Amino acid sequence: MGGETQTKVTGRSYPKLAAGPVGQQIHNIYRDRLGQFTSNDQFKSQNLQAAMYEGRASGEEYVKLSVYSPPDLTRPTFKDATSQEFTETKVGESFGPSWSTHWFKIKLKVPQNLLHKELLELHWDANNEGLIWTEDGEPLQGLTGGGERVEWILPKTFRDGKFHTFYIEMACNGMFGNGREGVANQPPDPNNYYQLHKADIVAVNQEARALFFDFWIIADSAREFPWDSWESHEATQIGNAIMDVFIAGHGSQASIVKGRETAKQYIGDVNSSKVYDNDKEHIVYAIGHCHIDTNWLWPWDETKRKIARSWANQCNLMDRYPEHRFTCSSAQQYKWLEQYYPQLYDRVKAKVKQGTFQPVGGSWVEHDTNLPSGESLVRQFLYGQRYFESHFGERCSTFWLPDTFGYTSQLPQLCRLAGMSRFFTQKLSWNNINNFPHTTFNWVSLDGSQVLCHMAPSETYTADAHFGDVKRSVSQHKSMDQDKTSLLVFGKGDGGGGPTFEHLEKLRRCRGVSDTTGLLPRVKMGNSVEDFFERLEQKAIDGTKFVTWYGELYFELHRGTYTTQANNKWNNRKTEILLHDVEYLATLATIKDSSYKYPKKDIDDMWEHVLLCQFHDCLPGSSIEMCYDDSGRLYATVFKTGEKILKDTLSVFGLSSRQESGSGSLTAINTLPWSRAEIVRLPEHLSSKDEKYALVHGNPGVASVDKLSQSSKIVKSSASIKEITTGVFQLSNDRFQIKVERGSIISLIDLLANREVISKGGKANQLVLYDDKPLYWQAWDVEVYHLESREELVSGTSSIAEHGPHRVSLVTETKISEESWIKTTISLAASIKDQPSYIEMSSEVEWRENMKFLKVEFPVDIVNTEASYETQYGIVRRPTHYNTSWDMAKFEVCCHKWADLSENGYGVSILNDSKYGFATCGNMMRLSVLRAPKAPDAHADMGRHNVRWAILPHAGPLGSLTVRTARDFNHPLQLYPSSNTSLLKFASSILSSITLRGSPSLILDAIKRGEDDEDVSRGELPKREGRSIIVRIYESLGGKSRGVLGCTLGVKKCFRTNLLEEDEEQLRGWDAKGEKIEIELRPFEVATFRLQLGGGD
């Protein structure tokens, strides 16, 4: 007991003698060997590449080619093109030039030896884009070229040994346009030609193709898993075993099948979508996406074709891969597809109904958010959401904006008001100074509204679905304390394309690795973006506290886009103002005259054009020259349509349009919601030597015009100018005394405040030039080091242009270079009691520079660590110092109509007309005027410009004086001949029928008709009975404000609505007798009201 031992007998004994030496594998050598097996270089005749195809046929015996080349870079329709005469052509021929189109008629016959092969494809490659069409005009599939997406699966009906006809529409541009010397973001080379070097029938070895993807992911596992992990070593072993089997089998089909069996040890069974059919926890949600820049390195007309090419491919992939879900934004792109490719649109619509093709975004285009006005941002959502709802029966819940150059602080509020609680982007991963700290967070607007934001940790919206993309979806996740899940947005993008079958095959294998081997985050296909966000929102409801980010998401790159393409930006602001006036006047014209029909289609067209031009590569100035030719023509259409509507509405009110001369008295229309009194220059045909100016004064609506003679006493004060010493001029009115030397203001004394505005020794209105060579992206970027190249421009002598008494002006010419100059006029008008007075500068610039940046400086005697800038519906405050890298990163920022630096009791505002770039460093305020990048538009901003800015000193803190004066400055009063006094009197009552009184911080920003009013609706959505007026108001200064909204047009009910004009609550406080209602807005709140005029609910 207790001491016995037993001998354990094994079935086999471990070998007693060593068979021979066995060395330890050198891990990195065996790992690096894996690259040989699928490489397309020196080993391709001996590796898997040699087994990828089972047969190939080409040449006229099987593929007969003929071509029609449309003239003059035209893009004819299928019907037009295929009705033309085609001439024979062959592989090896070249086609061009850049941007031309060539239609190929292909007659194809599958040879007998390939008829029974499992998978037959046409491989077509000319290194450019193309679209395959059926013989009867149905678009089938897009082609990318250059080795990518060059295959088209031949229909089963082609396997009859007969010739079959189809067409290929070739576009002579690559995925990224026609950049010189093959560099995408360089100006296009107009003389690119593309050689058709492949038009083959190919029998694909499907097992070899599958092994290719098996091996790809296994090799990535070996390389990208930690080298000290068993998973990396196991992948290396499996990969080498597959190679050894292939070599031993001399690349036979049996060795390929055996290699796939070996691969299963690591990745499992990945031959179908069933790989996703288990309930194991997944944390990476993969969603297919195709980011198509609406224009960029190609024009709009090419984008329309990119949409068809890309979306046809996705429909095909959905038929082949049941797990594939594809999301795409931009209502404009869906509308183009509907207009130009109706068959494909119907196919997409069917996929939307099935839930596989998923509209997202809720906006008209993926727009810039820095530069458009607040009302433009509203209309992006209004037009976008209405399109999606009217065409697909559902609105979007997620605002999708992955590629825009920064995100304005009021977007969360506008998203919520447009029915969206979620936001997706990733662009801040491009920051070149600071690393943005969050992945999933609540983004909070100026008014306190929030959206749940997710930024893909893979840091791309065009992932190639690589092993590393899945891995980085967790390894780069910055919010895992709250949630570990992420979106992986994959697919070829920017130039379109979207996911490929390779992407879907790789993701199946990534899932297989996670389920079979582990360590790799588990990826899931088959969900939607909304599924992802709904789970996050539920977590928040259940108690998860996501971190918050308040205010703008400032992008630390692409700061030059606030300034590049100045004319385009001028057009944007002017058309925004035009649309404001058009809607205001047309709305009230429909009330005054029942025979006048609200021009809804024309207004819709105008808005859609303006919204299109606000695309995030168009308005910022980062597109090629031909894009700005296109936008220039579109803006011209908007101006023409708007002027016609103004002419028609003015005639309703008894006024001639300002383009016409007329007898009788003059009047003006004040379309802004406060009283104005300004000295305005008379039109040349109505002025005389003694009468050049008029005083325009009045409340909203019709304003009076009093002509001012030299001796007129209507304006109690006067302006004067004199040369006090040689080359030094003094301009004065009752408010200011200004000294100017060589175009620079060396003294500006506020007479009422008794203080000098300009800092000691400073020179305001000083023109400065900077060397402007960013690290790479010319049109996009200005880098911090440009500030070190500051060069003061020395102006010539000045001369008096106007002597007063109503206005004085001083003109100074400045030579910038041998080819560039600027002529600046400093003007000061006589001050008007109770109205603001400012110093105005207007400049005519001949600009022919190369990589230079023109700015104008204002050193002011003000101290504050923050400056204030107008943004949409509010104010953003930014540092004037460089304490931290986050502060320094904002060395160039965006503002709208004004920037302000104030201290306790006093401040200075710089107003601008259609400029957006600004900087405040210490007490130095700088307005950005013009840039001269040479790519991607070699002629960006070259030519003549007219620029206006102004200095507005003010007593007290920043307030409504600045907000209103800046809007006045951008909204000049227009004069009109008027002869019908009685009609004008009636018009005056109508045009002043909608009022806002109370806190001056409240801004009545828009007046329009209801979208779905029965006399306005175009039938996209159900009509609403009766007539209504939409009024949009916002709080502009950042404090709770009360006001009284009045309307004398017979309002029956008043509703608070969202941006989509849906009633959210009826306001019970409407005083029908007093025709008004009291309102209250929280700081920076945007509020929309619907005034029901009767006959409806």
Side-chain angles (χ1 to χ4, degrees), residues 530-721:
E530 307 308 340
D531 293 333
F532 172 77
F533 274 106
E534 282 172 12
R535 195 195 61 81
L536 290 177
E537 287 184 350
Q538 187 59 51
K539 283 196 71 172
I541 292 170
D542 293 341
T544 297
K545 294 184 182 299
F546 291 105
V547 299
T548 54
W549 184 275
Y550 282 77
E552 68 176 332
L553 293 172
Y554 178 83
F555 183 39
E556 296 178 2
L557 202 67
H558 295 1
R559 302 168 184 88
T561 58
Y562 312 144
T563 305
T564 308
Q565 297 289 358
N567 288 334
N568 200 55
K569 290 172 167 61
W570 186 92
N571 281 332
N572 174 71
R573 189 173 295 180
K574 295 308 178 187
T575 51
E576 288 175 335
I577 291 170
L578 176 63
L579 276 158
H580 170 278
D581 290 356
V582 160
E583 289 184 326
Y584 164 74
L585 292 171
T587 294
L588 297 177
T590 63
I591 307 303
K592 180 193 176 299
D593 186 347
S594 59
S595 67
Y596 177 81
K597 182 172 176 56
Y598 192 74
K600 184 68 164 63
K601 181 182 184 304
D602 287 340
I603 290 174
D604 284 347
D605 289 346
M606 290 174 69
W607 267 118
E608 289 181 12
H609 292 342
V610 171
L611 299 178
L612 171 59
C613 291
Q614 290 172 350
F615 175 71
H616 68 251
D617 275 308
C618 185
L619 182 54
S622 49
S623 293
I624 59 174
E625 185 174 11
M626 61 199 310
C627 294
Y628 296 106
D629 294 338
D630 286 347
S631 67
R633 285 188 287 268
L634 209 56
Y635 278 126
T637 300
V638 173
F639 284 120
K640 182 178 180 180
T641 303
E643 291 298 334
K644 180 182 183 302
I645 295 174
L646 288 179
K647 180 179 179 180
D648 292 344
T649 57
L650 289 171
S651 68
V652 171
F653 297 116
L655 298 172
S656 300
S657 69
R658 58 179 172 269
Q659 287 81 7
E660 301 170 352
S661 61
S663 58
S665 61
L666 288 173
T667 193
I669 301 295
N670 175 16
T671 58
L672 294 183
W674 46 74
S675 62
R676 298 174 67 176
E678 299 173 19
I679 295 175
V680 174
R681 185 186 294 274
L682 289 168
E684 190 171 337
H685 68 281
L686 297 175
S687 66
S688 65
K689 186 176 182 180
D690 187 51
E691 292 182 333
K692 294 183 178 180
Y693 289 95
L695 174 64
V696 180
H697 54 99
N699 292 319
V702 176
S704 299
V705 178
D706 298 325
K707 292 183 179 181
L708 301 175
S709 66
Q710 294 290 325
S711 58
S712 173
K713 300 300 182 182
I714 296 175
V715 177
K716 303 302 181 183
S717 65
S718 63
S720 64
I721 186 170

Side-chain angles (χ1 to χ4, degrees), residues 248-266:
H250 304 290
S252 65
Q253 190 68 10
S255 71
I256 292 171
V257 173
K258 188 174 181 181
R260 291 215 68 208
E261 286 299 315
T262 303
K264 282 185 180 180
Q265 299 173 34
Y266 200 84

Side-chain angles (χ1 to χ4, degrees), residues 426-432 459 461 555-558 777:
Q426 66 80 50
K427 196 67 174 182
L428 296 194
S429 66
W430 284 40
N431 280 4
N432 71 345
E459 298 188 348
Y461 52 90
F555 183 39
E556 296 178 2
L557 202 67
H558 295 1
W777 301 93

Side-chain angles (χ1 to χ4, degrees), residues 1039-1060:
K1040 181 182 290 187
S1041 297
R1042 296 183 177 92
V1044 177
L1045 174 62
C1047 181
T1048 60
L1049 299 175
V1051 174
K1052 301 300 182 183
K1053 297 177 182 178
C1054 178
F1055 298 88
R1056 182 82 176 256
T1057 78
N1058 59 21
L1059 297 185
L1060 307 181

